[in-house]
């Protein structure tokens, strides 16, 4: 992302009147799961919508819920070939496939030192399926796409659509 996140978020703030917490979600380079748990004083529950592996790339779509309220619709694309250590690749694959564990917690469980690079921050249309999953009538929501970098390789690409504003 060539424009610094704070500049893009400031532009969105002027147009959509974002709450401070929404701005933090859009611009953080830390764990969204951790932020949700802090703000809402409860554990994040992951509900997997779909998951598949195609040509050594793992795809997952989930809803992150707090107190049974759907807060975030998230998609992950994980090119498993970028995880060079075979044991680590197998363990991460197993965690992704066998349990509803947030990505941030999987990274922490495996002691991976990673960084996040934000690619895009928007306030965009959402389709009817996402509206249903997030249990909202809104047709636009704040969104971001970012890469998680591990050992100078893209470990994952995530897109998150935030439906937290009305619950803050």
């Amino acid at each position: 992302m060539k424009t610094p996140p704070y500049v893009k978020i400031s532009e969105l703030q002027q147009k959509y009147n974002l709450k401070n917490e929404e701005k933090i979600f859009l611009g953080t380079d830390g764990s969204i799961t951790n932020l949700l748990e802090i703000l809402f004083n409860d554990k994040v529950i992951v509900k997997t919508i779909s998951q598949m592996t195609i040509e050594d790339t793992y795809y997952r779509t989930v809803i992150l819920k707090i107190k049974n309220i759907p807060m975030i619709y998230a998609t992950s694309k994980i090119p498993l070939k970028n995880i060079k250590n075979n044991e680590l690749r197998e363990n991460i694959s197993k965690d992704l496939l066998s349990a509803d564990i947030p990505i941030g917690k999987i990274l922490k469980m495996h002691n991976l030192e990673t960084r996040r690079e934000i690619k895009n921050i928007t306030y965009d249309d959402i389709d009817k399926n996402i509206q249903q999953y997030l249990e909202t009538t809104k047709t636009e929501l704040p969104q971001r796409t970012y890469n998680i970098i591990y050992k100078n390789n893209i470990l994952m690409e995530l897109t998150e659509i935030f439906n937290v504003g009305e619950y803050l």
Side-chain angles (χ1 to χ4, degrees):
M1 183 170 175
K2 292 180 181 168
T3 304
Y6 77 90
V7 172
K8 183 65 178 170
I9 292 167
S10 178
E11 292 168 4
L12 293 175
Q13 162 65 28
Q14 291 173 16
K15 188 171 181 181
Y16 297 101
N17 198 30
L18 297 172
K19 294 182 178 176
N20 285 334
E21 294 90 344
E22 290 177 296
K23 294 189 293 186
I24 291 168
F25 280 118
L26 287 170
T28 187
D29 58 4
S31 167
I32 290 294
T33 302
N34 191 40
L35 288 176
L36 278 173
E37 291 176 343
I38 290 167
L39 281 173
F40 293 97
N41 296 313
D42 208 347
K43 182 179 178 184
V44 167
I45 303 298
V46 176
K47 172 148 178 34
T48 301
I49 296 168
S50 68
Q51 56 185 358
M52 65 184 95
T53 304
I54 301 172
E55 295 181 10
D56 208 29
T57 300
Y58 177 78
Y59 299 88
R60 178 170 95 157
T61 302
V62 301
I63 298 292
L64 301 181
K65 294 183 171 191
I66 293 265
K67 300 177 182 175
N68 211 31
I69 300 168
M71 298 283 184
I72 298 174
Y73 178 94
T75 58
S76 309
K77 176 184 170 185
I78 304 164
L80 297 170
K81 67 179 186 272
N82 288 356
I83 307 171
K84 303 300 183 201
N85 179 300
N86 288 337
E87 183 181 350
L88 180 61
R89 182 174 47 247
E90 288 174 23
N91 288 337
I92 287 177
S93 296
K94 186 179 86 177
D95 289 338
L96 288 166
L97 290 169
S98 66
D100 286 334
I101 304 171
I103 295 288
K105 291 196 175 180
I106 290 172
L107 297 173
K108 192 173 187 175
M109 285 170 25
H110 294 286
N111 273 335
L112 298 183
E113 256 189 64
T114 61
R115 63 184 169 82
R116 289 163 172 82
E117 282 185 357
I118 298 173
K119 293 173 57 178
N120 195 22
I121 297 172
T122 63
Y123 201 105
D124 247 337
D125 293 337
I126 59 169
D127 67 34
K128 294 217 180 284
N129 284 336
I130 295 171
Q131 280 180 302
Q132 289 177 338
Y133 283 120
L134 291 175
E135 299 172 13
T136 185
T137 56
K138 293 180 179 178
T139 57
E140 295 178 307
L141 286 171
Q143 308 175 31
R144 73 181 191 153
T145 299
Y146 62 98
N147 290 330
I148 295 179
I149 309 295
Y150 174 67
K151 293 189 174 180
N152 293 320
N153 287 307
I154 296 173
L155 181 63
M156 306 173 186
E157 178 185 89
L158 287 87
T159 297
E160 297 164 331
I161 300 172
F162 299 97
N163 187 41
V164 297
E166 62 193 79
Y167 302 105
L168 295 167

